[in-house]
Amino acid sequence: MPSRRSRIRRTVALIATVTVAGGGVVLTAPALVNAAPMDCAAAFNLFIPGTWETDENADPNRPVGMLAPIAEAITAQNGARAQIYTLPYMARAFDNGHTYADSKLDAVSKATAVLKAYADKCQGAKITITGYSQGADAAGDLASAIGNDQGPVDADRVLGVALIADPGAGTQGAATVGPKTSGEGIAGPRSQGMGTLSGRVASICDPKDLYCSIQKGANPFLGSLGSILSKTPGTTGAGAGGGNAAVASALTSDFTDADLPGLGSNVDALGKQLRGIDTSGSVDVAEVADTATSLSKSLSPLAELLQSGAANSAATSNLAAAPAGTPENAAAQVLTTASHADLTGALDSVATIANTAAKLSNSGTTTLPATDPQISQLSTNAASLGSQIASVATTPADALQAASSVLSVLKPTVVVDQALNVVTGVTALDIPAILHNLIVLPQKIAAGDVRGARDAARELNVQFAPVVKMAAGVDLKWISQILAIISDPSGYTQIAALVTGILGNVDVIKLANIAGQAQEIAWAAADKLFPPPGVLPDPVGAAAQTTALLPLGLELASVAANMLTGKATKTDPELLGKQANPVGNAITAQAQTLDLQGLAGSVSTMAQSQGAEDLAAVVGEGLNAASFFASGAHQSYQNLVVDNAGRNAIQWVSDWLNLQITRAA
């Protein structure tokens, strides 16, 4: 969850009483009992930054990101009495081969170790914990563990915990500071609450920030997906397994070892190595293996991304609409050129080169002359590789570099945006009427009923509008696979998975085009048979028009067959979750029997429900344009006023923590 470094650098005065807009909230602090040892600070202040604000190798003595001004305010007020420690941790989300949950677990684990080590060494020291975004997620989990006697330190040593934009917002025992929100965190409240730390945990959330304020009841899909993405480790993490892990892993890209800017130079280097240009005709086989392996690491995540469905035309178009020179625009450029490359063939080529060179090296061969038959064959493979990825390799290196940050998180961004539209769009479909007209229209055409054909085609055009919109902007097969393993008791997600699975096997655009052509021809024929007053009927002209309808009717019947006999991929019943209502139970049964007619009835029932109206209302407010990684409100806490004194979130936390440290002195 990205943020901008705050520009606020001022120290504000202490106040004795905290007054919060919308009601008074008093956050207490325990008294300091034991003085800190000479070599320990009186207060140890742990800061956990948000996603992409830090990494495992960062300097813990250097405050960063959204929380930096708070750390600076504490130092200015307390000097050496307050030690500042900014936690170095993974701080990523789906862009380094690990899920968001993997990264948060890394933060919790490292923060736990840091607190325990400091508390053991400095037994009189008190502690504050502050987190932003993913850091707040980790800090809140840590506080909950401490408050329930499961943490690394005793609760009475904690002066205060400040959570900004907490994905676990709504946890019992965390006092809301600032504007009230109507929702809860996208990860869901912590089940244990804050325990004995209740009253010492402050939570600040902008009501417009989806990370910490989302109405899951009104939007079951995004709520379910948010919980999965924020809580489920990847397949390599602890506790991995099951449908949720499959979803999380499906949305994870690993560009960690990819050197996209170096593609062109590495291909050139490989060719030179195999020709022995810089080594007097001698080829170092281990060096060749290393270069080919490096190329494979660069091409693999890009090829996987293109095959996933995330890099569809709608997503690429959205990126291309960004201003020139931005990472988003660069990502669109890379995706476009990569789609014209033969990445599958390129991966085969580099694998052949790497494997052959590795076998030679492992067998004891260190060098071979460039004229050796095996090396000559590898040179041929390298030449093929150059042509296979020429379109990507010739892309400017700065564009490739800039694109990496966007490409690495494209999958979760796209799936949230597009799948939400699918889940919503399904409720707009009149599937029974579509099925009826798909059957009737060819029959009317075959019978020469131009008026009936005209009416059926006209209705199909209207009914197909939301289907065409979905098909034009979404990789339906990919989205259906994601939806199929998300548990959602309301039934919406199961409906969407089944319908998109069926539509994914149908040429929706072609169906719509045929219906449109049929409507135009039928209208022309009807005008000739039933002209306005004063104009003679033209049965010959009408017959000619009707004749033109016949091949369309046959084509329509052929294309529609896939939909009428639609076979959605079966979903493991265990992954469907326990349904909580009759409609949901019916959907589960229809999923297992592939009952399209029954599913149509369920869609109609669900589309008329209050839940569908709520969902449509939420989307109408702009949630369909929200991504799991982008929200302006999420980066603007230095502008969010939280009390009657006009302080923003950063100022308030700075004041409050300084107050707790001063009281404990």
Side-chain angles (χ1 to χ4, degrees):
M1 304 173 189
S3 68
R4 294 192 304 265
R5 178 185 292 267
S6 174
R7 294 184 296 272
I8 302 171
R9 292 290 184 271
R10 54 183 174 167
T11 303
V12 289
L14 294 173
I15 60 171
T17 305
V18 177
T19 306
V20 181
V25 177
V26 178
L27 297 160
T28 62
L32 181 63
V33 177
N34 301 314
M38 291 296 292
D39 58 343
C40 292
F44 181 75
N45 303 276
L46 175 64
F47 289 85
I48 310 181
T51 309
W52 301 307
E53 288 189 329
T54 188
D55 58 48
E56 298 96 322
N57 301 313
D59 181 357
N61 298 311
R62 178 177 175 271
V64 296
M66 183 71 73
L67 304 180
I70 301 174
E72 292 164 1
I74 291 175
T75 297
Q77 180 72 31
N78 296 279
R81 290 184 57 258
Q83 180 170 342
I84 301 299
Y85 188 95
T86 300
L87 187 73
Y89 76 103
M90 195 182 293
R92 313 295 286 184
F94 306 97
D95 60 333
N96 61 347
H98 295 284
T99 67
Y100 169 95
D102 291 333
S103 181
K104 189 185 80 169
L105 286 172
D106 183 52
V108 173
S109 175
K110 288 178 177 174
T112 298
V114 167
L115 286 181
K116 187 177 188 309
Y118 195 86
D120 288 347
K121 175 187 175 185
C122 308
Q123 297 186 7
K126 294 298 181 178
I127 294 165
T128 72
I129 305 171
T130 305
Y132 162 64
S133 192
Q134 182 177 163
D137 207 350
D141 286 3
L142 190 59
S144 178
I146 293 171
N148 287 282
D149 297 322
Q150 298 168 349
V153 298
D154 292 335
D156 61 6
R157 299 188 65 173
V158 179
L159 299 175
V161 178
L163 308 176
I164 299 177
D166 177 22
T171 298
Q172 185 175 5
T176 299
V177 175
K180 303 296 182 182
T181 63
S182 57
E184 61 186 32
I186 196 166
R190 301 167 184 89
S191 59
Q192 286 187 306
M194 291 302 175
T196 56
L197 280 187
S198 295
R200 279 177 276 166
V201 180
S203 180
I204 298 177
C205 174
D206 188 322
K208 299 186 294 296
D209 187 345
L210 299 177
Y211 292 92
C212 52
S213 178
I214 181 174
Q215 296 183 23
K216 291 192 175 184
N219 190 351
F221 165 71
L222 192 56
S224 297
L225 185 62
S227 295
I228 289 171
L229 296 185
S230 59
K231 294 181 177 179
T232 308
T235 54
T236 58
N244 289 355
V247 174
S249 297
L251 300 185
T252 303
S253 294
D254 189 0
F255 279 80
T256 306
D257 297 321
D259 180 15
L260 294 182
L263 273 177
S265 60
N266 284 337
V267 171
D268 291 341
L270 182 62
K272 290 180 179 179
Q273 291 166 5
L274 287 168
R275 294 193 299 274
I277 290 179
D278 298 326
T279 52
S280 302
S282 179
V283 177
D284 184 332
V285 293
E287 186 179 47
V288 168
D290 289 344
T291 304
T293 300
S294 176
L295 282 166
S296 178
K297 290 179 179 179
S298 297
L299 293 172
S300 293
L302 186 58
E304 194 276 332
L305 183 63
L306 288 175
Q307 294 167 0
S308 72
N312 59 63
S313 58
T316 304
S317 297
N318 287 338
L319 293 173
T326 62
E328 290 77 12
N329 189 273
Q333 183 180 349
V334 172
L335 289 174
T336 300
T337 56
S339 66
H340 297 148
D342 180 8
L343 294 184
T344 301
L347 284 171
D348 288 341
S349 296
V350 294
T352 298
I353 296 170
N355 292 338
T356 302
K359 287 179 181 178
L360 288 170
S361 180
N362 292 336
S363 68
T365 302
T366 56
T367 60
L368 283 173
T371 55
D372 183 271
Q374 294 182 89
I375 298 300
S376 296
Q377 180 57 52
L378 294 185
S379 294
T380 301
N381 294 132
S384 297
L385 171 65
S387 61
Q388 288 161 341
I389 64 169
S391 59
V392 182
T394 55
T395 302
D398 57 347
L400 289 167
Q401 180 66 48
S404 296
S405 62
V406 175
L407 297 177
S408 62
V409 294
L410 186 63
K411 286 197 283 187
T413 302
V414 169
V415 80
V416 170
D417 186 20
Q418 296 189 349
L420 184 58
N421 281 328
V422 167
V423 173
T424 308
V426 162
T427 63
L429 300 180
D430 188 350
I431 289 187
I434 291 175
L435 295 176
H436 172 75
N437 283 322
L438 284 175
I439 296 170
V440 166
L441 181 54
Q443 293 176 346
K444 296 293 185 184
I445 291 174
D449 182 354
V450 292
R451 272 188 166 176
R454 178 197 62 188
D455 294 342
R458 180 179 58 197
E459 291 177 7
L460 267 178
N461 269 322
V462 174
Q463 294 155 355
F464 264 126
V467 182
V468 171
K469 182 179 179 181
M470 280 196 295
V474 176
D475 184 319
L476 292 171
K477 287 187 177 181
W478 183 60
I479 294 296
S480 70
Q481 291 166 3
I482 298 295
L483 295 176
I485 49 179
I486 293 179
S487 176
D488 168 20
S490 73
Y492 282 108
T493 305
Q494 280 75 32
I495 287 178
L498 292 169
V499 172
T500 52
I502 291 167
L503 293 177
N505 293 321
V506 178
D507 190 339
V508 173
I509 304 299
K510 186 173 184 179
L511 271 175
N513 287 339
I514 293 172
Q517 293 172 35
Q519 181 181 355
E520 290 180 9
I521 295 172
W523 270 108
D527 285 344
K528 292 182 182 300
L529 282 177
F530 311 105
V535 179
L536 293 175
D538 181 7
V540 175
Q545 294 284 356
T546 304
T547 300
L549 272 176
L550 292 176
L552 283 180
L554 292 173
E555 192 173 11
L556 179 67
S558 174
V559 177
N562 282 336
M563 186 171 183
L564 297 174
T565 59
K567 297 292 183 182
T569 302
K570 284 190 177 182
T571 302
D572 187 330
E574 293 181 0
L575 300 182
L576 283 171
K578 294 181 179 179
Q579 303 304 329
N581 56 67
V583 173
N585 291 331
I587 295 164
T588 302
Q590 291 147 12
Q592 300 310 306
T593 60
L594 303 174
D595 177 5
L596 186 59
Q597 292 285 356
L599 175 64
S602 294
V603 172
S604 297
T605 301
M606 189 66 75
Q608 296 169 9
S609 69
Q610 181 61 44
E613 295 178 7
D614 292 340
L615 180 62
V618 172
V619 173
E621 293 169 1
L623 193 55
N624 62 324
S627 97
F628 198 65
F629 299 104
S631 167
H634 190 65
Q635 293 110 16
S636 301
Y637 281 88
Q638 66 271 46
N639 299 319
L640 178 68
V641 176
V642 299
D643 70 358
N644 293 333
R647 290 178 298 174
N648 63 45
I650 304 302
Q651 293 169 328
W652 187 94
V653 172
S654 300
D655 281 359
W656 180 61
L657 291 180
N658 269 327
L659 178 61
Q660 309 315 311
I661 295 168
T662 299
R663 284 176 171 174

